[in-house]
Amino acid sequence: MKGDSDPQTSDRVDKRTQPNRRQFLTAAGATGALALTAGCSSMGGGSGSDTLKMGVLEDQSGNFALTGIQKYHAQKLAVEEINAEGGINGQEIEMIAPDPQSDNQRYQELARRLINRDNVDVLFGGFASSSREAIRPIVDENQQLYFYTNQYEGGVCDTYTWCTGAVPEQQISTTLEFLTDEFGDNFYTIAADYNFGQITAAWYRKVANEIGANVMEEEFIPLDVSQFGSTINRIQEADPDFLVTLLVGSNHASFYNQKNASGLEVPMNTTINMAQGYEHLRFDPPALANMYVGVNYMQEIPTEQNRDFVDRFYERWPDADYVGQMAQNSYFTTYLYKQAVEKAGTTDQDEVLKVLDEEPISVEAPEGTVTTDPETHHVTHQIRLARADESHEITFRNQQAVEPYWLRETPYPGCDLTQTTGASEDEETTQYQPQGV
Amino acid sequence: MASILPQVLNLFLQFIDSFGFLVLSAIGLAIIFGMMGVINLAHGEFITVGAYGTALSFHAGLPLPVAMLVGVALTTVFGLILEFTIIRRLYGRLLDSMVATWGISLIMIQGLRIVFGSSLPSIGTPLGSVQYGSFSYSTYRLLLAGASLVLLGVLYWVFTSTDFGTRARATIQNEEMSRALGTDTNRMYLLTFGIGSALAGLTGALYAPTMTIVPGMGSTFLVEAFVTVVVGGASVLVGTSGAGLLLGFINAVFSNLFGTFAGRMALLVTTILVIRALPRGITGLLEDVRGET
């Protein structure tokens, strides 16, 4: 993999250093013309190069490739569309996307490389929360503008990080109310055993307290487990009204098939399945029958705006299997970044961060209108409650715009990133967790 | 009484489920390691090939049992080709063979991803479930446990009562002598590797209907496979079934009482204790006992 990207980088370094000399040597030649325009447009550039450099870290191999490849495809589509329309402020986007291989250590190496050696103007990506937390210190240390486009457990309040995926208060609150009304108050949680699963499970406890529901039991399952016989028995023993599954990755996905085979029938709720890993298409029905998930996007959303996006996506990537929630996030976030740079008139990261902090920006995304929240660096999403039926057909209900309200609640967590705009010395980089649950 | 019985049954079913998983995960690896001294780090991917062969031929319209046979056949052929081209050159070079098979494993995972994408459609688990009290268990998974027992029986017969078995064991014990007595040892190694591959393929074929079929699925078998072989020791059949019984029991008790995570911890802690107390595994323990009496 290293061998793949090294030549590219040295190529780019050449381009960057050559124009000035070539301008003199071959002023009339085609290369000279190229170098001349490049020289002009680099005036406002943060890294002083002829293209806008966008670093993208998405897993194209390893445990998270199933979703990582979707995200990579969607972002590439957005970049190509923008470049075809003349780029951002006339600058073409150069997308540098080495493969972190679902490996946190690779994430750190590559983040360092993109920031320090490639001098990217903006960094995108990361799938698992553990990979985001692996690179966030590097991002902060280098004052690097970073967009994390995943749905996640929430709570990141960071001057340099924008989280454009949905967070628990958006996905859980509305869904849980509906489910307790429909099925009863007692639920059972099984969750992946790392920061995402632990914190999201805490969120379920918090919301359950607020609406008077009851968490019967929680089980946290290591990511490499793929056999669920004992888990299924324990659920049967507890006999919950519904089951919350916060399972991550392809090993955990085996749960649904095994649950179905063992005859356990119970309504389910999740924040992650279907909308990311398209389990409803990959698994034989009725493995996911009666699965409810609060989503900000699925490719099945029947609006014209979305049909149009889905058509363009499959036209560009005919072999793709699905375009899910995170992929859509990567897509609209690229356009969000474009708007911010155009408003700032420069790719200078400090200026772009300032523009993002000054006032909300709205983007027309495939899901509908998405608006940024400068105080918390999250976004207001159009949330729908999706349900899979016996034959895995998806229906949507209760569409509503939900703000990311929790982080700015006072006194805790009290996140307000507008107090300082752009880079600053006393910057905030905390990830808050729900307290007292 | 009425309430305790389903619980006991639960524990028992989980025990045989766990036993089946451990034995089926490990058996191909155990044969290749025990008989040939090659540590096959691509073992998980052999299992993946079996599962892919099964899933692809099932989705092409074959009935499931036939599709499984296709999966096994495919893995066998694959194993034979690898033995003939690569593994053959690495006998007696333990570390080299580990690096080579690990490389093969990496190439296969990414190769499968490039050719077939990041996931294949799943195969629904057949045969429904059995009910007892407020619990139920997948019938198919119980069948898997039965399959592991049948397999151990068949292997015992092959290695003790057939001409091939005798020659294979002779080759392991003293290669030069068996060559002098007219055994084609190269052919024995090839066949043994083929059997090991076929068994890995069978594991993949049998578990294909219970799992998500993705390029990296083999890795979930690998830990169990190695743990079982380490705890079992050098003897293929006695070691594997002994380790399956011990670890299966511990895993079932702990995951039933305290959840999956505790089950896994208990499994690994037991392994550490066994390595510390019995460096030659269960095989060594049995040999000592037999030696004393």
Side-chain angles (χ1 to χ4, degrees):
Chain A
M1 282 296 135
K2 266 186 183 145
D4 269 1
S5 33
D6 281 349
Q8 289 175 9
T9 323
S10 56
D11 211 33
R12 276 194 302 275
V13 173
D14 286 351
K15 265 186 216 154
R16 209 190 308 170
T17 50
Q18 275 174 9
N20 292 335
R21 280 194 6 232
R22 282 206 189 154
Q23 258 168 302
F24 294 101
L25 294 173
T26 55
T31 40
L34 193 77
L36 212 64
T37 48
C40 291
S41 61
S42 75
M43 278 168 66
S47 57
S49 68
D50 51 348
T51 55
L52 188 161
K53 289 189 178 172
M54 179 180 280
V56 178
L57 291 175
E58 297 295 359
D59 301 316
Q60 291 154 55
S61 57
N63 197 16
F64 301 127
L66 188 83
T67 34
I69 291 174
Q70 289 177 39
K71 294 182 73 184
Y72 170 80
H73 280 165
Q75 183 133 23
K76 183 102 180 147
L77 175 67
V79 166
E80 286 175 1
E81 285 177 2
I82 291 170
N83 280 345
E85 298 282 312
I88 302 181
N89 288 342
Q91 254 185 313
E92 193 165 302
I93 305 173
E94 177 186 350
M95 176 166 154
I96 311 171
D99 177 11
Q101 302 170 9
S102 313
D103 175 347
N104 291 342
Q105 203 167 341
R106 294 279 300 164
Y107 264 100
Q108 296 187 316
E109 285 166 25
L110 293 173
R112 284 218 171 80
R113 188 157 102 198
L114 288 174
I115 296 171
N116 296 333
R117 207 177 72 190
D118 295 327
N119 283 319
V120 292
D121 296 296
V122 60
L123 182 66
F124 274 78
F127 180 77
S129 293
S130 49
S131 50
R132 179 200 66 239
E133 288 309 294
I135 62 172
R136 212 154 57 79
I138 301 170
V139 163
D140 293 332
E141 178 190 308
N142 290 287
Q143 310 196 332
Q144 171 68 46
L145 170 60
Y146 168 48
F147 288 98
Y148 177 64
T149 60
N150 260 43
Q151 171 278 339
Y152 82 113
E153 70 280 1
V156 170
C157 174
D158 186 320
T159 310
Y160 302 104
T161 303
W162 273 83
C163 303
T164 59
V167 285
E169 68 261 33
Q170 295 175 316
Q171 289 190 283
I172 297 174
S173 305
T174 51
T175 311
L176 210 52
E177 251 168 85
F178 174 83
L179 291 173
T180 46
D181 285 351
E182 194 90 338
F183 302 112
D185 286 339
N186 296 314
F187 68 91
Y188 190 115
T189 304
I190 52 175
D193 195 6
Y194 70 112
N195 54 354
F196 166 77
Q198 296 276 2
I199 297 176
T200 311
W203 265 100
Y204 270 93
R205 289 197 297 273
K206 177 181 154 71
V207 177
N209 279 347
E210 286 165 11
I211 65 173
N214 169 37
V215 187
M216 305 177 77
E217 207 170 332
E218 288 174 330
E219 182 170 348
F220 295 97
I221 300 169
L223 281 174
D224 60 346
V225 167
S226 65
Q227 307 297 316
F228 291 93
S230 61
T231 307
I232 290 168
N233 273 165
R234 290 162 62 85
I235 296 168
Q236 288 178 326
E237 196 177 348
D239 192 24
D241 294 325
F242 61 96
L243 173 69
V244 173
T245 62
L246 303 169
L247 301 175
V248 179
S250 43
N251 297 334
H252 278 184
S254 299
F255 170 79
Y256 297 104
N257 210 339
Q258 290 172 21
K259 169 202 147 276
N260 191 38
S262 71
L264 169 62
E265 278 179 25
V266 59
M268 294 182 288
N269 169 228
T270 177
T271 61
I272 38 179
N273 293 125
M274 303 206 301
Q276 301 181 23
Y278 52 102
E279 287 84 355
H280 56 298
L281 301 182
R282 284 160 56 212
F283 300 167
D284 257 11
L288 283 138
N290 246 339
M291 169 63 95
Y292 291 84
V293 48
V295 296
N296 68 295
Y297 182 79
M298 282 178 80
Q299 76 172 19
E300 288 86 354
I301 289 176
T303 61
E304 201 170 313
Q305 200 168 2
N306 179 46
R307 295 294 353 145
D308 184 48
F309 166 68
V310 172
D311 288 347
R312 270 181 289 139
F313 183 86
Y314 284 106
E315 202 172 298
R316 177 65 183 85
W317 309 105
D319 294 330
D321 296 312
Y322 195 75
V323 47
Q325 183 167 261
M326 324 294 214
Q328 189 249 187
N329 294 346
S330 291
Y331 180 81
F332 84 72
T333 307
T334 312
Y335 278 94
L336 171 67
Y337 173 69
K338 174 175 185 272
Q339 275 198 31
V341 172
E342 283 171 351
K343 220 167 142 191
T346 167
T347 54
D348 185 279
Q349 295 187 39
D350 203 18
E351 296 299 318
V352 177
L353 277 164
K354 256 185 210 155
V355 162
L356 284 166
D357 280 343
E358 272 162 15
E359 56 179 359
I361 298 178
S362 288
V363 193
E364 279 310 310
E367 68 177 83
T369 307
V370 168
T371 308
T372 62
D373 178 46
E375 261 178 86
T376 62
H377 285 193
H378 285 68
V379 304
T380 299
H381 275 293
Q382 303 294 326
I383 302 290
R384 297 167 169 87
L385 180 58
R387 170 182 185 262
D389 65 12
E390 285 288 312
S391 56
H392 287 185
E393 291 292 321
I394 304 291
T395 46
F396 299 95
R397 71 178 88 200
N398 295 351
Q399 186 199 340
Q400 51 184 316
V402 185
E403 286 187 30
Y405 59 81
W406 177 68
L407 261 175
R408 65 169 111 94
E409 276 176 9
T410 49
Y412 182 87
C415 172
D416 186 359
L417 295 165
T418 52
Q419 285 168 351
T420 55
T421 55
S424 85
E425 284 307 308
D426 55 341
E427 68 243 0
E428 166 109 81
T429 59
T430 321
Q431 179 173 15
Y432 293 97
Q433 301 186 13
Q435 274 185 330
V437 283
Chain B
M1 281 307 281
S3 63
I4 200 87
L5 189 66
Q7 285 289 358
V8 173
L9 202 57
N10 240 352
L11 199 63
F12 176 71
L13 293 180
Q14 265 162 43
F15 164 59
I16 60 172
D17 186 334
S18 189
F19 173 80
F21 185 67
L22 289 163
V23 167
L24 287 171
S25 300
I27 193 72
L29 185 75
I31 286 201
I32 291 173
F33 173 64
M35 309 289 278
M36 309 168 70
V38 170
I39 293 181
N40 181 14
L41 284 177
H43 178 64
E45 282 57 56
F46 280 55
I47 293 176
T48 310
V49 171
Y52 264 68
T54 307
L56 288 170
S57 37
F58 176 78
H59 290 303
L62 293 180
L64 187 57
V66 182
M68 286 178 170
L69 289 179
V70 173
V72 175
L74 196 72
T75 321
T76 314
V77 171
F78 178 75
L80 291 176
I81 293 174
L82 270 190
E83 201 280 344
F84 203 71
T85 50
I86 298 170
I87 311 286
R88 171 158 297 192
R89 288 154 229 282
L90 299 170
Y91 289 133
R93 295 162 60 188
L94 188 68
L95 293 177
D96 298 356
S97 70
M98 285 174 75
V99 173
T101 49
W102 187 46
I104 293 170
S105 139
L106 294 177
I107 293 169
M108 285 175 65
I109 293 176
Q110 195 60 19
L112 285 171
R113 179 169 286 124
I114 291 167
V115 177
F116 297 108
S118 29
S119 143
L120 287 186
S122 74
I123 305 173
T125 314
L127 301 179
S129 58
V130 280
Q131 295 281 339
Y132 51 101
S134 59
F135 301 100
S136 54
Y137 220 89
S138 161
T139 319
Y140 183 80
R141 292 192 70 89
L142 301 180
L143 202 76
L144 289 179
S148 68
L149 284 176
V150 172
L151 200 64
L152 287 172
V154 170
L155 285 175
Y156 180 77
W157 176 75
V158 166
F159 282 103
T160 55
S161 310
T162 64
D163 182 51
F164 162 76
T166 317
R167 282 172 190 275
R169 285 186 298 142
T171 308
I172 307 314
Q173 280 185 357
N174 192 328
E175 189 184 344
E176 294 210 347
M177 182 56 81
S178 36
R179 209 161 17 198
L181 292 172
T183 300
D184 181 349
T185 51
N186 273 347
R187 193 164 152 267
M188 282 300 129
Y189 282 134
L190 181 66
L191 287 178
T192 312
F193 199 84
I195 291 178
S197 313
L199 291 173
L202 180 65
T203 306
L206 288 173
Y207 277 94
T210 72
M211 293 176 65
T212 35
I213 300 168
V214 293
M217 68 185 289
S219 66
T220 64
F221 292 90
L222 209 57
V223 173
E224 272 82 355
F226 272 93
V227 162
T228 310
V229 170
V230 165
V231 170
S235 161
V236 175
L237 291 176
V238 176
T240 307
S241 37
L245 287 173
L246 174 69
L247 297 174
F249 178 72
I250 285 175
N251 188 30
V253 169
F254 279 84
S255 47
N256 196 39
L257 293 179
F258 308 109
T260 316
F261 181 67
R264 266 189 107 65
M265 292 258 292
L267 191 80
L268 297 174
V269 168
T270 311
T271 308
I272 293 170
L273 292 178
V274 169
I275 295 173
R276 178 69 188 80
L278 307 166
R280 291 184 299 141
I282 289 177
T283 314
L285 178 71
L286 288 179
E287 278 170 4
D288 291 348
V289 171
R290 226 178 281 165
E292 280 167 19
T293 49

